[in-house]
Amino acid sequence: MTLQERIAGVEERVARACAASGRDVADVKVIAVTKYVSLETVSEVLEAGLGDIAESRWQDAEPKWNALGHTGTWHFIGHLQTNKVKDVIGKFQYIHSLDRLSLARELHKKADAAGLTVNVFLQVNISGEDTKFGLAPGDVPGFLREIAVLHRVKVIGLMTMAPYEAEPEQTRPVFRGLRELRDKLNLLALTPEPIQELSMGMSNDFEVAIEEGATWVRLGTVLVGHEEGA
């Protein structure tokens, strides 16, 4: 299947999921996860009109960003080590994986030095899996209060990862839980502006995520494919 065919297939599935849940397709943005494809494929993805690119490790992203970082909008979606903040600040417009205070402080420090504001999603471990990073849902209000003084860190959304399920419908409680948490946080008014964004849904389950309110879906294999050795 060609890249254009995959894009068309994803667009159709997004539209169906939006129609099923009464949502406007314009409210759902697709991020192309390119961590498993080559620099050449990333270039093709951008040329095809997919403007949002995501990587999860700086060492893998670096050659791609050096060649193509002037194009598109770049998202960092992986677990971010504090010592790698210096590499991603100013290059990735969105960080989807803020999950601890030390990282928030380092993001603020480096962003302040560069005169930037960094847009972040709080990563929340809705499913409670030991193998996943993220804040426990009950810890999020306190975390927001702690980072309120870090004015260079702007919380625009929440992110979660659902367990892989053979039947995607089984992921629904995870996505619903993230949406409900966002709504509760907005009632508490813990951020200067309401939290709008929900980064949730991947190749296996993005339609369910959209039905539950995803505003960003992170799509790798189903959209850009998978290349050995990339």
Side-chain angles (χ1 to χ4, degrees), residues 69-133:
H70 60 285
T71 307
T73 299
W74 290 66
H75 301 249
F76 193 89
I77 62 172
H79 182 67
L80 182 56
Q81 295 173 304
T82 306
N83 64 357
K84 296 295 182 183
V85 168
K86 66 184 185 301
D87 298 315
V88 304
I89 281 288
K91 300 180 178 73
F92 290 80
Q93 290 92 329
Y94 297 93
I95 307 294
H96 287 243
S97 48
L98 176 55
D99 62 353
R100 60 201 187 279
L101 188 57
S102 60
L103 177 58
R105 287 171 172 159
E106 187 65 14
L107 285 167
H108 172 79
K109 177 182 174 183
K110 292 294 191 289
D112 197 42
L116 302 171
T117 298
V118 58
N119 295 310
V120 302
F121 293 76
L122 298 189
Q123 183 169 355
V124 186
N125 187 357
I126 294 289
S127 65
E129 291 176 281
D130 292 339
T131 55
K132 284 188 168 57
F133 293 106

Side-chain angles (χ1 to χ4, degrees), residues 98-217:
L98 176 55
D99 62 353
R100 60 201 187 279
L101 188 57
S102 60
L103 177 58
R105 287 171 172 159
E106 187 65 14
L107 285 167
H108 172 79
K109 177 182 174 183
K110 292 294 191 289
D112 197 42
L116 302 171
T117 298
V118 58
N119 295 310
V120 302
F121 293 76
L122 298 189
Q123 183 169 355
V124 186
N125 187 357
I126 294 289
S127 65
E129 291 176 281
D130 292 339
T131 55
K132 284 188 168 57
F133 293 106
L135 295 158
D139 292 340
V140 174
F143 185 80
L144 284 171
R145 291 186 181 98
E146 282 194 278
I147 68 171
V149 296
L150 305 178
H151 60 276
R152 294 293 189 177
V153 176
K154 182 178 181 181
V155 178
I156 65 163
L158 306 179
M159 183 273 260
T160 200
M161 297 175 65
Y164 181 88
E165 300 285 0
E167 174 46 64
E169 179 63 29
Q170 294 179 6
T171 63
R172 191 176 296 277
V174 174
F175 300 136
R176 182 174 294 159
L178 194 71
R179 172 172 52 82
E180 291 174 346
L181 175 62
R182 179 200 61 186
D183 295 346
K184 289 175 184 175
L185 294 172
N186 285 336
L187 287 174
L188 294 172
L190 297 173
T191 50
E193 300 170 15
I195 297 170
Q196 301 286 357
E197 309 295 342
L198 295 175
S199 171
M200 60 188 193
M202 298 166 66
S203 290
N204 186 58
D205 53 27
F206 69 93
E207 288 144 308
V208 178
I210 289 170
E211 290 173 4
E212 290 299 332
T215 61
W216 296 91
V217 291

Side-chain angles (χ1 to χ4, degrees), residues 21-37:
S21 51
R23 298 187 63 199
D24 187 334
V25 71
D27 293 336
V28 179
K29 296 173 281 291
V30 173
I31 305 170
V33 178
T34 55
K35 60 182 178 177
Y36 294 127
V37 297

